[in-house]
Amino acid sequence: MAGLQQDPFYIVRQEIHDTVNELHSKMSRFHGLTAANPERKTIASAVTDGCESLKWQVNELDSAVNRAAEQPQRFGLTPEEIASRRKWISATRRQIEGMMDTIKTATAARVNPAEEKLHKANEGFLQGEGGKQQLMMKQQDSQLEDIEAAVTRLGRVGLTIHEELASQGQMLDELEEDVDSTHSRLRATQKKVLDVIKKSGTTTQLGLIAFLMIVLVVIAVLAFV
């Protein structure tokens, strides 16, 4: 039995068996889909291609069995073993042909117009919803960009206002210092004038008053220019 398991026939047989099972699974999926479903066509094509490949492998295996049957002693085969192999090949070939016939019949059947119309309507609805969502996302992105630009502009305006206020505050401080200094000088000058007036005569006092008034006016003008 161990020798038979190492026989190339059984190795190829196992590979064919696994492929047949895979195709049966695809056929189950195929029967579960509506005629208008595009996946059904894809599965039908895959099953057809798989069956064509299996037919070639089974035919090659059948030819090998026939050659071995001509010299059974050389390959250590009994008549029962040869008959068993041929039986398996025939059964597998029928499975393959059955799947191919099913695919041909199903794909040749006319699609129900109402079902096809419903399928197209569903596809159109999904595409329309997808387009609406994309449009909404673009609009939201555009709005966010506008908001970001507005915030940036407000930030720049705020910074400019802050700098302007700081500059004006500094100018006011400097003006206040100049005014205080001028007032101090005026008070000092006024005090000196009073002292001089007290010490001088009337005529001299009037002349000094006129002169000092001119000086005060000049100082005031220079202070505020």
Side-chain angles (χ1 to χ4, degrees), residues 121-135:
N122 289 336
E123 286 186 344
F125 174 77
L126 292 176
Q127 291 177 356
E129 288 298 315
K132 289 180 181 179
Q133 290 181 357
Q134 290 181 354
L135 179 60

Side-chain angles (χ1 to χ4, degrees), residues 171 173-183 185 223-224:
M171 292 174 62
D173 292 339
E174 293 175 354
L175 179 60
E176 185 177 358
E177 291 177 358
D178 291 340
V179 171
D180 291 341
S181 177
T182 302
H183 284 172
R185 290 198 298 269
F224 291 99

Side-chain angles (χ1 to χ4, degrees), residues 8 10 45 90 95-96 122 125 129 133 145 155 158 165 180 213:
Y10 285 97
S45 178
S90 297
Q95 290 186 65
I96 296 170
N122 289 336
F125 174 77
E129 288 298 315
Q133 290 181 357
E145 290 176 357
L165 290 175
D180 291 341
M213 289 297 294

Side-chain angles (χ1 to χ4, degrees), residues 49-221:
D49 292 342
C51 287
E52 291 291 345
S53 177
L54 283 178
K55 281 179 62 177
W56 179 83
Q57 294 180 57
V58 170
N59 289 337
E60 289 296 314
L61 196 60
D62 190 23
S63 298
V65 170
N66 290 334
R67 288 194 297 271
E70 295 175 357
Q71 297 178 321
Q73 293 82 8
R74 177 182 176 184
F75 297 100
L77 299 176
T78 63
E80 292 78 8
E81 176 63 24
I82 294 174
S84 174
R85 295 185 180 190
R86 285 175 172 169
K87 181 179 179 181
W88 182 87
I89 289 173
S90 297
T92 302
R93 186 178 281 126
R94 285 194 298 271
Q95 290 186 65
I96 296 170
E97 292 174 351
M99 285 188 288
M100 294 183 70
D101 290 341
T102 300
I103 290 295
K104 288 180 181 179
T105 302
T107 53
R110 184 178 179 182
V111 178
N112 188 325
E115 186 176 350
E116 184 178 8
K117 183 178 180 180
L118 178 61
H119 177 70
K120 290 182 178 180
N122 289 336
E123 286 186 344
F125 174 77
L126 292 176
Q127 291 177 356
E129 288 298 315
K132 289 180 181 179
Q133 290 181 357
Q134 290 181 354
L135 179 60
M136 290 177 61
M137 291 178 65
K138 289 182 179 179
Q139 291 176 345
Q140 290 176 355
D141 290 341
S142 178
Q143 292 174 356
L144 289 175
E145 290 176 357
D146 292 341
I147 293 174
E148 182 180 1
V151 170
T152 301
R153 288 195 298 270
L154 288 175
R156 292 175 180 173
V157 171
L159 180 60
T160 302
I161 293 174
H162 174 73
E163 293 175 350
E164 184 65 24
L165 290 175
S167 177
Q168 291 181 2
Q170 184 178 359
M171 292 174 62
L172 289 174
D173 292 339
E174 293 175 354
L175 179 60
E176 185 177 358
E177 291 177 358
D178 291 340
V179 171
D180 291 341
S181 177
T182 302
H183 284 172
S184 298
R185 290 198 298 269
L186 287 174
R187 283 195 298 270
T189 303
Q190 185 179 10
K191 184 178 180 182
K192 290 179 180 180
V193 169
L194 292 175
D195 291 340
V196 171
I197 290 174
K198 289 179 181 180
K199 295 177 181 180
S200 304
T202 303
T203 304
T204 304
Q205 290 177 357
L206 292 175
L208 288 173
I209 290 172
F211 174 74
L212 292 174
M213 289 297 294
I214 294 172
V215 172
L216 289 174
V217 171
V218 172
I219 293 174
V221 171

